Amino acid sequence: MTGLVVVSHSRALADAAVALASEMLHGSTTRIAIAAGLDAETFGTDATAIVDAIEKADDGQGVVVLMDLGSAVLSAELALELIDAEVRERTVLSAAPLVEGLMAAAVTSASGAPPSDVAAEAAGALTPKRSALGVVEEDVPASGEDMSPDGESAVVEVENPHGLHARPAARLVTEAGQFDAEVTLRNLDTGAGPASARSLSQVAGLAVRCGQHLEIDASGPDAQAAVEHLATLARNRFGEEDAPASSAGRAAPTAGRAASPAGRAAPTAGRAASPAGRAAPTAGRAASPAGRAASSTGQAASPAGRACRDHPALPASPGIAIGPVFTPAVVDVGPPDEQFDSADTQSARLRDALDAVRADIESLRTTTAQHSPADAAIFDAHLVMLDDPDLVAAALERVESGVPASRAWAEAVAAVEAEWRAVDDPYLRERAVDVHAVGQQVLRKLAGIPDATIDGTGILVVDDLLPAQAAVLDPEKVAGVILAGGSPTSHAAILARARGIPAVVAAGADVLAIEPGVTVALDGSTGEVIVDPDDQTLERLRGEASRAAERGELARASAHESASTADGTRILVAANLGSVEDARAAAESGSDGSGLVRTEFLYLDRAEPPTVDEQIDTYLAMADALGGQRITLRTLDVGGDKPLSFAPRPAEENPFLGLRGLRLALAEKTLFDDQLRAIVTVAHQTPISIMFPMVTTVDELLTAREHLDAAITSVGRGEPAGLEVGIMIEVPAAALKAAAFAPHVNFFSIGTNDLTQYTLAAERGNTSVAALADPLDPAVVTLINRVCRGAGPDRLVAVCGELAADETATDLLVALGVRELSVAPRAVPPIKQAVRGIDVPTNPRLVERCLEADTAASVRAALT
């Protein structure tokens, strides 16, 4: 019997595809082996695993290998080179679509067909779908051509703060390539386009900025699905978080270096306080003029223990670092002089170099994912660049005209890099660095020159870093980084944060003149750079670094202990979760259960809603990961800015003030009722709290509770013991009416992110007004106080927004009456430690000072 091998980047995808194919066999069997993912959770492919799978599936008749995309194909080709020649001859690599092809192949294999027939049947697996849709190959236009009148189209507004830059563009290109459709894009505001959605360079050439409108056109069998999926992807900001720098504050406790005060995690988890007590700008805020560290503390200095004053420096990765300067030479390489022999030989050299660099980048991605899975996406953009058909075709065209591979590649890269640098938007221009970085990696392979590495100990001072260099910096050797150029949003800065290495950027060319070996101190939270600091300055900074390191060590050591104030008042420190993986991370961090499960992760980016059983399995898996601790399931919080592809609704002029949260749930009653039945079922097996989001009126809450009562009746086991019901306080009206809600709930959870933006009329994702959206504004503090007073003594008040992870605010929140803080898993240990440092849990003088303050800065001054 012909064996089958499934090669995929995702173990979960492969398992699901095999399960689906098995349903087609109706009791018959076939040999199917899986080689997917680097492990159960890490994306990637491994040639040796594919070899093992082929050997397992082969019973002597032969094997058909089905693959998803990209490196899966390359890994399968490499696997063929590693197996015995006899096995290789009866192994077929199929170009069929993975899911449809596997179903067809499984059925044909079960019938006893040879590998050739199995592969042929798999290759034709899309024929039924094409026939049903009335599509033939000729219907698909060439890349870049206008769509036919029968095509599908949509227009979306790009909401990413920096527009369609490298990472969201790479996500678009990657996901567009998953559909059997030709997709083109246009920038309707500038008239740029059409551009092929399969080409990163063409997408970049559209120069789509935040607020501009992107037209998505598609034709082909999957045209409608492609347009709907990409439109939803765009509305979800292509998966990009509001603020970069997720793991910013981790720093190893080496001498002379420490994380931000109290070992705090990231700017996104809570702002780091500078020595002066002022809030340091977040990574996202520092990129804007309002967020620049413009004081004398952030400037380049002469040797005398003074901060450098010639050029401003920007904070990029928090923490204090002190050490001797080292400045390794990091120079670009040019194409070597070489003779042209033949187009075939030179083309093969280029393809081999691309394959080698692809393997290097995938390895870097895997390494980076161990520190920060989100930041590993940087290298996804680099992989897409390597596979950019326009870039590769431009280089190969030059080869065909008689240009050696190295020079052909260098010229093609230079042309694309120039396109990026010509874009008006400064952030998008910065992404030309990524094109240059990938170009250099390939050029070094072609020239036989080793990759540029950083070797030294102390404070690295350099003009700029390639992402590949930043990703492998050793925190045990590199105490800190000073870049003459760059920005807090550069990939080098993001990767420094991921590795917990303090860094400042844009320090100016003068820092390159600092002699190697000279002692330099830097504070990555403020942008402070001090050359040859005097003894008093060194003592101050080392004291701050030592205290921060000690606090971080103590926090990690006691992470699994409860957090109580000095007089014994217990404060729960729970975790905000968006996946089962998050739940595992929370358990490792010592969280007290989950104060917020964003259940919408089960609903987004899919063609149909999750089944009740799927929800039950996922919620139970999260509870199991947390050891049976209470988890708070927020009901579906989508709509407006987070649309559901399977429940489309008319576009809204202002989605943040539209049909979202509980408002949408009450409009989509089937979705809501299914979710409530799943939650009630789970609540019979593990402690559950249910939380309704975006509540504005008591009537909304009462209607939601009626649906919950109906779900309890439908499940038929009575009300689950210990089931608690609460609401999110995100709307100022709800905060002001907390006492009216109190009789109908067990708890309140304050979402300070939305509460802040609604109170101050400043969208937190809009960099133009982000500086206004400070959750410690006295108006927001007043609303939090109003909720705590309205809740009374018998109802718990929690905070689950970013303010909960700001150690500066912990004392105030507890003094106001908050008794649960729900934060990102990584922030649990430092917040627990901050709670333990509170002497008086009820501090009327502190509350009074903050409520009477006139600015957020005054509140922060009162707290420090």
Side-chain angles (χ1 to χ4, degrees):
M1 179 180 294
T2 299
L4 303 177
V5 170
V6 178
V7 180
S8 172
H9 287 72
S10 165
R11 179 75 59 81
L13 172 62
D15 289 339
V18 171
L20 183 61
S22 298
E23 290 292 316
M24 303 296 108
L25 298 180
H26 303 292
S28 301
T29 59
T30 189
R31 300 165 65 92
I32 306 178
I34 293 176
L38 300 181
D39 55 42
E41 299 174 357
T42 306
F43 293 135
T45 56
D46 182 350
T48 58
I50 298 172
V51 170
D52 293 340
I54 292 173
E55 293 175 346
K56 180 180 178 181
D58 182 37
D59 65 356
Q61 183 169 340
V63 174
V64 173
V65 182
L66 297 105
M67 305 146 283
D68 49 16
L69 73 167
S71 63
V73 179
L74 299 174
S75 297
E77 291 176 333
L78 177 58
L80 284 188
E81 298 178 9
L82 302 177
I83 61 178
D84 293 338
E86 182 180 352
V87 178
R88 185 186 310 130
E89 288 182 4
R90 58 177 182 261
T91 300
V92 179
L93 301 187
S94 170
L98 182 63
V99 177
E100 295 92 336
L102 179 60
M103 289 192 290
V107 173
T108 308
S109 172
S111 71
S116 57
D117 290 353
V118 172
E121 196 66 24
L126 287 179
T127 300
K129 186 189 294 184
R130 290 181 180 277
S131 177
L133 296 174
V135 177
V136 294
E137 285 294 336
E138 290 73 14
D139 290 336
V140 184
S143 174
E145 293 180 3
D146 289 346
M147 294 296 103
S148 70
D150 297 330
E152 300 288 338
S153 67
V155 176
V156 293
E157 181 178 338
V158 173
E159 299 178 1
N160 298 64
H162 299 295
L164 205 55
H165 64 90
R167 272 171 286 163
R171 176 82 180 269
L172 186 154
V173 171
T174 300
E175 301 211 11
Q178 297 175 6
F179 293 92
D180 186 11
E182 287 295 325
V183 183
T184 60
L185 310 170
R186 290 179 175 84
N187 184 335
L188 295 184
D189 292 83
T190 65
S196 170
R198 297 178 184 272
S199 169
L200 186 62
S201 60
Q202 286 193 31
V203 174
L206 295 175
V208 182
R209 297 182 182 180
C210 182
Q212 291 185 335
H213 296 83
L214 183 71
E215 182 181 66
I216 306 169
D217 296 305
S219 69
D222 294 346
Q224 181 177 354
V227 168
E228 290 176 352
H229 180 80
L230 295 179
T232 299
L233 186 67
R235 295 186 188 102
N236 291 327
R237 299 188 181 187
F238 301 94
E240 191 172 42
E241 296 180 1
D242 286 340
S246 57
S247 325
R250 293 200 311 272
T254 56
R257 190 183 80 243
S260 54
R264 186 157 75 242
T268 54
R271 299 191 190 95
S274 69
R278 294 182 62 85
T282 65
R285 192 175 294 176
S288 66
R292 296 179 67 86
S295 69
S296 61
T297 61
Q299 316 212 350
S302 57
R306 292 174 296 141
C308 294
R309 298 181 182 277
D310 294 334
H311 296 279
L314 298 179
S317 179
I320 294 170
I322 303 169
V325 164
F326 73 99
T327 55
V330 181
V331 297
D332 286 347
V333 299
D337 292 330
E338 55 188 3
Q339 297 296 318
F340 182 85
D341 40 19
S342 72
D344 287 345
T345 300
Q346 294 297 315
S347 295
R349 288 186 61 230
L350 177 57
R351 293 188 185 281
D352 288 346
L354 291 170
D355 291 345
V357 171
R358 186 179 293 104
D360 290 346
I361 293 175
E362 287 177 341
S363 177
L364 281 172
R365 192 198 188 289
T366 300
T367 300
T368 304
Q370 295 171 359
H371 301 280
S372 173
D375 294 333
I378 288 170
F379 293 105
D380 290 337
H382 288 202
L383 289 169
V384 172
M385 288 175 190
L386 280 180
D387 292 327
D388 189 315
D390 286 359
L391 175 59
V392 175
L396 292 175
E397 284 177 8
R398 286 174 168 83
V399 170
E400 290 294 333
S401 67
V403 178
S406 296
R407 185 154 59 89
W409 173 255
E411 291 173 356
V413 168
V416 174
E417 190 177 346
E419 291 179 9
W420 281 88
R421 294 194 186 280
V423 174
D424 291 337
D425 185 86
Y427 186 86
L428 292 176
R429 283 201 304 271
E430 203 174 86
R431 302 284 71 84
V433 174
D434 298 300
V435 179
H436 183 79
V438 172
Q440 281 289 301
Q441 285 180 273
V442 176
L443 204 54
R444 284 177 176 272
K445 292 291 184 186
L446 286 166
I449 300 173
D451 290 338
T453 57
I454 302 298
D455 189 19
T457 301
I459 305 295
L460 169 64
V461 179
V462 70
D463 183 35
D464 206 350
L465 285 174
L466 300 177
Q469 296 163 337
V472 295
L473 292 178
D474 185 352
E476 297 301 321
K477 294 182 178 180
V478 181
V481 174
I482 300 174
L483 298 185
S487 82
T489 57
S490 70
H491 288 163
I494 292 171
L495 292 167
R497 290 193 290 269
R499 301 190 73 78
I501 300 175
V504 298
V505 298
D510 284 0
V511 297
L512 300 176
I514 302 174
E515 292 291 330
V518 171
T519 298
V520 168
L522 69 91
D523 187 336
S525 299
T526 65
E528 186 176 16
V529 177
I530 305 175
V531 181
D532 194 17
D534 56 32
D535 290 343
Q536 184 178 0
T537 302
L538 280 175
E539 183 178 358
R540 171 178 66 84
L541 292 174
R542 284 175 176 156
E544 290 177 7
S546 177
R547 288 189 293 274
E550 289 172 2
R551 286 193 295 270
E553 282 293 308
L554 184 59
R556 287 186 287 274
S558 56
H560 292 274
E561 299 174 10
S562 63
S564 299
T565 62
D567 75 338
T569 300
R570 172 78 185 278
I571 306 296
L572 297 172
V573 182
N576 298 332
L577 308 178
S579 67
V580 176
E581 290 72 22
D582 283 351
R584 296 189 185 106
E588 293 173 0
S589 298
S591 72
D592 300 320
S594 171
L596 168 64
V597 175
R598 302 181 181 94
T599 62
E600 55 270 16
F601 78 91
L602 282 167
Y603 292 79
L604 298 174
D605 295 331
R606 55 188 296 164
E608 56 186 20
T611 64
V612 171
D613 287 343
E614 182 182 352
Q615 294 181 65
I616 292 170
D617 291 344
T618 302
Y619 301 151
L620 285 175
M622 299 179 89
D624 288 344
L626 285 166
Q629 296 186 93
R630 178 173 292 276
I631 62 173
T632 301
L633 297 170
R634 181 177 69 186
T635 58
L636 187 59
D637 187 16
V638 294
D641 59 320
K642 293 183 289 185
L644 293 174
S645 58
F646 51 81
R649 303 195 69 85
E652 297 178 294
E653 184 128 345
N654 191 335
F656 284 104
L657 299 180
L659 202 64
R660 57 180 303 213
L662 183 60
R663 302 171 183 178
L664 178 65
L666 294 176
E668 295 285 348
K669 293 181 174 59
T670 300
L671 285 178
F672 190 42
D673 291 341
D674 283 352
Q675 184 176 40
L676 292 176
R677 282 198 300 275
I679 293 174
V680 169
T681 302
V682 172
H684 281 290
Q685 302 178 56
T686 191
I688 291 292
S689 295
I690 185 171
M691 182 162 66
F692 300 120
M694 195 70 181
V695 178
T696 307
T697 70
V698 174
D699 285 344
E700 287 176 326
L701 172 60
L702 295 178
T703 302
R705 294 214 60 150
E706 290 173 0
H707 281 264
L708 177 59
D709 291 340
I712 292 172
T713 301
S714 175
V715 172
R717 297 171 59 186
E719 182 172 337
L723 177 65
E724 296 184 351
V725 178
I727 62 171
M728 291 276 288
I729 300 291
E730 302 161 282
V731 181
L736 294 170
K737 296 184 295 187
F741 287 106
H744 310 289
V745 298
N746 301 104
F747 66 94
F748 295 98
S749 186
I750 303 174
T752 54
N753 300 348
D754 272 332
L755 183 62
T756 299
Q757 76 170 352
Y758 288 133
T759 302
L760 302 174
E763 183 195 345
R764 53 197 169 101
N766 186 334
T767 56
S768 300
V769 295
L772 295 173
D774 192 325
L776 284 180
D777 185 278
V780 182
V781 175
T782 298
L783 291 174
I784 296 173
N785 181 59
R786 188 71 174 262
V787 175
C788 292
R789 304 287 75 77
D794 300 326
R795 288 165 184 79
L796 178 138
V797 176
V799 172
C800 61
E802 289 181 10
L803 187 63
D806 185 346
E807 295 164 58
T808 304
T810 305
D811 200 340
L812 173 60
L813 293 175
V814 172
L816 287 167
V818 173
R819 292 298 178 262
E820 177 181 290
L821 300 167
S822 194
V823 299
R826 64 176 179 275
V828 168
I831 292 300
K832 279 190 170 184
Q833 196 62 20
V835 168
R836 297 181 187 114
I838 296 175
D839 291 326
V840 184
T842 303
N843 187 339
R845 293 184 59 193
L846 175 63
V847 171
E848 183 178 341
R849 288 199 306 272
C850 292
L851 291 176
E852 292 178 352
D854 54 359
T855 65
S858 299
V859 173
R860 292 185 183 279
L863 296 177
T864 56

